[in-house]
Amino acid sequence: MPNQCRIEILTFPGGQLLDVAGPLQVFATANDLAHLAGRPLPYETAVVAAEGRVVTSSKLELGAAPLPEPTAPLHTLVVAGGYGVNAACRDASLVAWVRQRAAAAQRVASVCSGAFLLAAAGLLDGRRAVTHWGRCAEFAAMFPSVRLDPDPIYIRDGDVWTSAGVTAGIDLALALVEVDLGREPALAIARQLVVFLKRPGGQAQFSAALTLQEKDERFDRLHGWIVENLRGNLSLETLAGQANMSLRSFARHYRQATGRTPARAVEEIRIETARRLLEQGLSVAQAGRRCGFGSEETLRRAFLRRLGANPQAYRERFAG
């Protein structure tokens, strides 16, 4: 790493504010902590745009530096996302600038739907990439040459990084800092920003419980109760009683509302909770007991069926 890395964050009209501010604050906090420790500042940051004033999708106006000469030395180019990215992808001069600027940079990254702009510039052809889960179908249709993986928080493919929706830009920036400065500085930044958990790139974008709640609000209370009672008896009869419905009526209405059987929903929530516990360093046996799997073998079979990996391998990869 050079004495000071120049980081440019590209935005555009209609960009997502947090896509810019989240990564920017990570790099700024790295500088703050270095200053307090009497060390040289590791980053020089700039928010850049084709226009000097940019109105974000939240209607907050940002002042931005003009686009630098595309061949000027650069360590990292970060492209923000937001619904304005569609218009940005149609701006031939901006797409050309991104392509040229990426060639001058040591690495390139995107936050959320910023991946659309990288793809429009041809920078993701043949690479693995991720974007916001809600726009994956659109992305796949527009850029079939990109190996889209809709699940992870972020993906690194060589010197090109992409991240999932909005707050995943913070996870991405922390990962970049970890590459530059090491694990301890990255964790110190996460603590300073009160980030609950510095999530590894292979984690899922969104939770099983949240996904279920998006389907139909009638069972939100039940899903919350399931999360609080994973070690208990979560049979169909128990769930129907908790929902104050007959067994037959509950099974029918639940599947209509969520697209899942109650048993599958319970397993998804248990697996998600087990993943979080394994990431926190608990043993496979401890995670299995806390989540109500009954035995390590039951947990192992569920992981293999849903994730294609056994829980011990998952723990070894992701435990902090």
Side-chain angles (χ1 to χ4, degrees):
M1 175 179 173
N3 291 333
Q4 192 174 61
C5 294
R6 178 171 172 85
I7 311 283
E8 291 175 2
I9 302 177
L10 172 68
T11 189
F12 39 77
Q16 174 82 32
L17 175 61
L18 196 54
D19 287 6
V20 175
L24 182 63
Q25 187 58 60
V26 170
F27 299 124
T29 302
N31 283 347
D32 291 342
L33 296 180
H35 175 72
L36 291 173
R39 299 191 302 268
L41 305 187
Y43 296 110
E44 173 197 358
T45 60
V47 176
V48 302
E51 304 172 17
R53 310 295 295 182
V54 176
V55 179
T56 64
S57 59
S58 59
K59 307 307 178 187
L60 181 66
E61 188 175 88
L62 296 179
L67 297 179
E69 284 297 319
T71 57
L74 176 64
H75 188 273
T76 304
L77 173 65
V78 179
V79 177
Y83 285 107
V85 77
N86 297 73
C89 287
R90 295 190 294 269
D91 184 339
S93 61
L94 181 61
V95 172
W97 182 88
V98 170
R99 186 182 302 115
Q100 293 176 287
R101 199 71 182 119
Q106 294 184 34
R107 67 186 177 197
V108 180
S110 64
V111 181
C112 193
S113 56
F116 281 73
L117 193 47
L118 292 188
L123 301 174
L124 299 182
D125 289 349
R127 294 184 183 272
R128 288 184 67 232
V130 65
T131 189
H132 190 288
W133 64 268
R135 303 195 68 182
C136 283
E138 176 188 0
F139 185 95
M142 290 178 64
F143 306 108
S145 61
V146 180
R147 294 158 52 204
L148 183 68
D149 185 343
D151 191 47
I153 294 292
Y154 59 82
I155 288 175
R156 178 183 185 180
D157 189 327
D159 57 1
V160 178
W161 301 61
T162 52
S163 65
V166 196
T167 58
I170 296 174
D171 299 282
L172 171 70
L174 287 168
L176 296 176
V177 169
E178 185 171 351
V179 170
D180 296 338
L181 306 179
R183 180 173 177 80
E184 287 306 313
L187 289 173
I189 294 167
R191 288 192 292 268
Q192 183 70 18
L193 296 179
V194 200
V195 177
F196 177 69
L197 178 67
K198 191 170 79 69
R199 299 174 292 179
Q203 288 182 306
Q205 286 197 43
F206 47 90
S207 73
L210 179 59
T211 305
L212 290 167
Q213 287 173 5
E214 289 174 344
K215 303 294 184 181
D216 194 304
E217 66 180 14
R218 286 179 292 171
F219 296 106
D220 284 359
R221 187 183 299 273
L222 175 64
H223 294 143
W225 182 86
I226 291 171
V227 170
E228 297 297 323
N229 292 274
L230 289 178
R231 300 180 69 171
N233 173 18
L234 297 180
S235 66
L236 186 62
E237 292 80 1
T238 300
L239 298 179
Q242 188 67 28
N244 294 317
M245 300 173 71
S246 70
L247 195 63
R248 179 177 296 181
S249 178
F250 171 70
R252 183 177 72 256
H253 286 290
Y254 188 88
R255 185 155 193 166
Q256 289 174 348
T258 67
R260 295 162 172 78
T261 65
R264 179 179 173 185
V266 168
E267 183 178 74
E268 288 179 358
I269 294 173
R270 279 179 163 150
I271 289 173
E272 177 191 43
T273 305
R275 288 171 70 166
R276 186 170 64 250
L277 296 175
L278 292 171
E279 289 156 11
Q280 293 171 1
L282 271 69
S283 70
V284 174
Q286 289 172 321
R289 285 195 301 271
R290 289 200 186 187
C291 297
F293 278 102
S295 71
E296 290 186 47
E297 179 60 22
T298 305
L299 174 60
R300 188 186 71 84
R301 289 199 304 267
F303 260 58
L304 288 172
R305 182 168 58 254
R306 299 292 184 190
L307 307 179
N310 67 60
Q312 184 59 41
Y314 185 90
R315 181 182 185 276
E316 290 171 358
R317 180 179 180 188
F318 292 124

